[in-house]
Amino acid sequence: MESSVTVAALYRFTPIADPAALRDALESTCKAQGIKGTLLVAHEGLNGTIAGSAEGIAHVVDFIRAQPDCADTDVKYSHASAMPFYRMKVRIKREIVTMGVEGIDPRASVGTYVSPQDWNALIADPETIVIDTRNDYEVAAGTFERAIDPKTTTFREFPGWFRRERERLLGKGKTPKVAMFCTGGIRCEKSTAFLKAEGIEEVYHLKGGILKYLEEVPEDESLWRGECFVFDERVTVGHGLALGSHVLCRACRRPVDEEGRASPLYEDGVSCAGCYDERTDEQRASARERDRQEKLARARGTSHIGATRP
């Protein structure tokens, strides 16, 4: 099927004096262009993923890059055969990616960027410690060979995990190289800045994130295994940013692979094996009814007023 929707994942760390004013301008610009997705605005910058026509996305990106110190805003493009978002949301946050550590400023100190073409050599080096900075449900869908999974459920847990595991990871004596990666690069901006603040000097991260690697590195040369979770209705993508095989559990927002869908605990719109024991029978019954109403509304071409999908 022809891909008719352009998807743009973007971020920029830059001081924003009036986040509310930028939020309002972004919301107005996106809606005027028929764009959907989510953008986060904070005093430290902006971050998000949006989708729409190629012309509409270009208009919004031009608007963002016209803002003070935003000309070099990092944007990664991909495509989808259908709109991967249900609405447009622009929100003000304390951080555009929440780490919760005061004084971490990627504009002042950050790790060394490594291009996708040079990444394989770095992470194949046995002297390099490779860390996946994403959350456990993302890692479960796919990761790089040799990567350490911190098993975090939120990025806020990453600093505590590193401080607890530092000696085990790095040992004593000469500190090894540390290479980190994430979906689009933004979490690594903060995680490498954090490690630098912790006194680690040889810190590297994948420029453009997993998405740029999957876009540019041929599958037969790739050290990536599995698929990459993305925060929209595509759920996961593979090499060449082709649509992946996972679906989304509507109850817990985790990706579910083919094996997971064969589990007796999986019910579309209600539960998966990962969250079944986290919910009561009453909660599952409520989710079942909500899913039924949403499907009826979509069949009529309308929106269900109680819909919770993004």
Side-chain angles (χ1 to χ4, degrees):
M1 181 181 297
E2 183 180 355
S3 297
S4 58
V5 179
T6 297
V7 182
L10 58 93
Y11 71 88
R12 177 68 174 174
F13 282 101
T14 186
I16 296 178
D18 191 345
L22 182 57
R23 174 201 59 196
D24 294 346
L26 282 170
E27 189 169 60
S28 175
T29 301
C30 288
K31 288 185 175 179
Q33 296 296 321
I35 301 302
K36 296 181 181 180
T38 300
L39 290 172
L40 306 179
V41 182
H43 283 292
E44 69 176 5
L46 73 160
N47 170 37
T49 304
I50 54 177
S53 68
E55 296 79 8
I57 290 294
H59 186 93
V60 174
V61 170
D62 286 346
F63 174 81
I64 290 172
R65 286 179 167 162
Q67 304 306 305
D69 192 39
C70 287
D72 295 328
T73 295
D74 185 271
V75 184
K76 284 168 290 296
Y77 296 98
S78 57
H79 296 86
S81 58
M83 172 58 73
F85 297 103
Y86 286 91
R87 59 183 67 87
M88 185 67 227
K89 298 179 288 187
V90 187
R91 294 176 171 172
I92 296 176
K93 294 285 188 177
R94 181 177 178 136
E95 299 178 74
I96 57 174
V97 56
T98 303
M99 175 177 268
V101 177
E102 294 294 333
I104 299 300
D105 184 0
R107 293 168 298 143
S109 177
V110 74
T112 301
Y113 295 99
V114 179
S115 72
Q117 292 73 23
D118 295 330
W119 182 249
N120 285 0
L122 175 65
I123 67 172
D125 182 348
E127 297 299 315
T128 301
I129 303 297
V130 186
I131 302 175
D132 193 329
T133 66
R134 300 171 304 150
N135 298 325
D136 52 5
Y137 61 92
E138 299 171 79
V139 178
T143 191
F144 281 107
E145 288 185 6
R146 298 188 61 246
I148 295 168
D149 176 10
K151 301 188 184 302
T152 54
T153 57
T154 70
F155 188 50
R156 189 183 283 272
E157 296 174 5
F158 181 83
W161 170 83
F162 179 78
R163 286 167 174 163
R164 290 192 305 272
E165 300 294 323
R166 175 174 178 161
E167 185 172 335
R168 182 183 67 83
L169 289 170
L170 306 182
K172 297 180 180 180
K174 184 180 183 299
T175 302
K177 294 176 287 188
V178 178
M180 296 191 286
F181 62 92
C182 59
T183 307
I186 185 171
R187 273 179 278 194
C188 287
E189 299 275 2
K190 278 202 169 178
S191 59
T192 58
F194 168 73
L195 259 66
K196 298 278 279 189
E198 294 286 297
I200 310 301
E201 291 301 322
E202 281 202 85
V203 185
Y204 302 85
H205 62 119
L206 177 58
K207 184 172 178 57
I210 301 162
L211 295 179
K212 183 59 69 174
Y213 182 93
L214 293 177
E215 178 185 2
E216 296 187 353
V217 176
E219 186 171 0
D220 60 0
E221 299 176 12
S222 176
L223 296 182
W224 176 262
R225 301 294 177 259
E227 297 173 354
C228 179
F229 180 78
V230 290
F231 296 86
D232 59 55
E233 289 299 309
R234 294 172 297 171
V235 187
T236 59
V237 296
H239 287 90
L241 302 183
L243 185 66
S245 61
H246 290 67
V247 300
L248 199 65
C249 174
R250 300 294 170 181
C252 67
R253 314 299 297 174
R254 296 181 179 113
V256 184
D257 61 13
E258 186 175 350
E259 181 180 355
R261 295 196 292 278
S263 167
L265 302 182
Y266 175 76
E267 183 178 351
D268 182 35
V270 178
S271 67
C272 69
C275 71
Y276 187 88
D277 291 334
E278 300 171 358
R279 286 165 170 76
T280 64
D281 289 340
E282 291 76 12
Q283 288 173 318
R284 284 190 289 273
S286 176
R288 194 172 292 116
E289 175 60 21
R290 183 188 65 240
D291 185 66
R292 187 181 75 85
Q293 293 292 338
E294 288 182 21
K295 288 174 178 174
L296 286 173
R298 288 200 301 278
R300 294 192 298 265
T302 61
S303 296
H304 174 45
I305 192 169
T308 58
R309 300 186 184 194

